[in-house]
Amino acid sequence: MYSRRKFIKVSAAGASLAALSSSAIARSTLIKPAANYPIVISTWDFGVAANQEAWKTLGNGGRALDAVEAGVKIPEADMNNHSVGRAGYPDRDGHVTLDACIMDELGNCGAVAGIEYIAHPISVARLVMEKTPHVMLVGEGATQFAVEQGFKKEKLLTPESEKAWKEWLKTAKYSPVINFENKQHIPGNQYNHDTIGMLAIDAKGNISGACTTSGMAFKLHGRVGDSPIIGAGLYVDNEIGGATSTGVGEEVIRNVGSFLVVELMRQGLSPEDACKEAVRRIIKKKPDTAKEIQVGFLAINKKGEYGAFAIQKGFSFAVCNAEKQDLIIPGKSFY
Ligand code: SD4
């Protein structure tokens, strides 16, 4: 565990580093030295376990990038989580296709979309970032790359997921359930969507983020949501902050949601107000659609302040820092 003394020392070093780099930043976003980090936040209450895993890295002075990768691998591996990773629900044709992206403090990023047979898409996304000249690999090419990198190719469709898919096929009605992420424990529920988006600031004040999902359950084969798209499902600017999203990805992509949230923070909005404004734009563009769906944004700024906002009530997020490792906060919403 990270000692309080060491924490203060490293935080102070991080804050002065941050202050140094702030000379390049617009005046409105000048950073006050603050000891609000290390910190990690993530979407939904299942983010608690993911945050705690990330904290093992952050609390020991590790890098935010390593923390977010390790953190989101927890729901990716969770056999009870039917919307992220291994046990994710399949698409309309019975394929489990996963989307993920990752972004670091230097603006490096990597992503995979529609990857099949690989349980940890976030780690493949990281290798796309680190080992290729590209940002995103999709479908078979992404799987091929993963196998070349030593990932195990395995069948991901679990008997439970297959059963749910066959049940869904009886009506084959595609209608995302609002806040499905919080309802997974309810037997017989309709399973439609879920994502973990995670943002961390390490002791040096550096920000990274990760986002991973199986996307909307029973989607068309080949459908890609916002989660692996840099700027939509995730965006990090180390001078300003980071943002991530959850919910119906099409509406997030239309508004380049996470990039928008970061840009709004650059203009001086608090994380919560920036998320609120991004949600407001989604509602304004398609008010009727918005009544039927959920979209939530989560953001953190360079000072370690965080906030969230969603279309519908029921969105929550998890926070972990030196003081408390299992905080769940209800997100505010318009409806
Ligand atoms: C998607 N945004 O594929 C994802 C799904 C999601 O909470 O976030 N669900 O559109």
Side-chain angles (χ1 to χ4, degrees):
M1 187 45 78
Y2 208 56
S3 80
R4 174 96 190 138
R5 213 162 137 208
K6 191 169 161 209
F7 169 71
I8 291 166
K9 214 168 129 194
V10 181
S11 299
S16 54
L17 248 187
L20 260 183
S21 65
S22 71
S23 54
I25 303 169
R27 233 171 272 129
S28 61
T29 58
L30 274 181
I31 300 152
K32 277 195 223 126
N36 288 343
Y37 42 78
I39 183 168
V40 54
I41 60 175
S42 53
T43 53
W44 304 107
D45 46 11
F46 61 75
V48 168
N51 285 353
Q52 286 170 349
E53 185 65 23
W55 188 254
K56 289 180 188 164
T57 300
L58 290 176
N60 284 308
R63 188 178 172 202
L65 182 70
D66 296 325
V68 295
E69 181 191 359
V72 303
K73 282 173 81 172
I74 296 295
E76 280 187 345
D78 184 352
M79 295 307 284
N80 293 317
N81 189 323
H82 297 300
S83 54
V84 180
R86 171 181 291 280
Y89 278 170
D91 64 21
R92 186 189 66 172
D93 299 342
H95 298 264
V96 179
T97 64
L98 306 178
D99 297 339
C101 73
I102 193 159
M103 190 161 191
D104 75 9
E105 75 277 12
L106 301 168
N108 298 313
C109 48
V112 288
I115 189 171
E116 287 188 63
Y117 310 113
I118 306 291
H120 285 296
I122 197 65
S123 298
V124 186
R126 180 162 178 181
L127 291 184
V128 171
M129 172 173 94
E130 291 179 342
K131 298 211 167 168
T132 80
H134 310 304
V135 165
M136 181 184 272
L137 294 179
V138 304
E140 278 176 32
T143 306
Q144 183 188 335
F145 171 74
V147 170
E148 281 166 16
Q149 294 297 321
F151 287 79
K152 191 173 150 209
K153 192 170 171 181
E154 52 190 321
K155 184 183 169 193
L156 298 183
L157 188 66
T158 63
E160 202 190 343
S161 300
E162 189 168 7
K163 198 170 153 224
W165 169 58
K166 290 200 168 139
E167 191 57 36
W168 174 81
L169 280 177
K170 289 180 187 164
T171 60
K173 188 169 176 286
Y174 178 75
S175 61
V177 169
I178 290 169
N179 298 330
F180 157 68
E181 294 83 349
N182 279 341
K183 294 178 185 157
Q184 290 185 80
H185 56 286
I186 300 173
N189 191 269
Q190 268 184 287
Y191 305 93
N192 288 83
H193 62 91
D194 205 336
T195 291
I196 183 155
M198 176 178 279
L199 302 161
I201 309 184
D202 60 31
K204 291 183 176 154
N206 284 326
I207 311 170
S208 290
C211 189
T212 177
T213 189
S214 52
M216 312 301 281
F218 319 130
K219 61 197 175 185
L220 284 185
H221 185 56
R223 179 264 186 191
V224 173
D226 59 321
S227 305
I229 299 179
I230 296 296
L234 175 74
Y235 196 69
V236 169
D237 182 326
N238 204 45
E239 291 182 345
I240 305 301
T244 189
S245 62
T246 180
V248 177
E250 281 74 5
E251 304 314 312
V252 179
I253 295 171
R254 271 189 247 286
N255 292 277
V256 200
S258 292
F259 181 73
L260 174 62
V261 171
V262 172
E263 289 308 299
L264 289 165
M265 290 195 291
R266 191 190 305 276
Q267 289 166 27
L269 266 62
S270 70
E272 183 182 304
D273 286 348
C275 293
K276 186 176 181 182
E277 172 59 16
V279 172
R280 196 190 62 77
R281 290 200 198 175
I282 288 174
I283 296 173
K284 195 174 170 211
K285 215 163 263 184
K286 291 191 178 286
D288 293 337
T289 308
K291 278 185 200 129
E292 307 297 324
I293 62 160
Q294 177 65 298
V295 170
F297 290 103
L298 174 66
I300 193 160
N301 67 17
K302 188 74 180 176
K303 290 186 249 175
E305 297 164 342
Y306 52 81
F309 214 89
I311 299 178
Q312 316 281 349
K313 64 176 181 297
F315 175 51
S316 58
F317 63 100
V319 178
C320 171
N321 57 25
E323 270 71 52
K324 206 158 164 43
Q325 267 96 57
D326 58 356
L327 206 57
I328 297 175
I329 301 181
K332 295 185 187 164
S333 63
F334 279 109
Y335 300 130

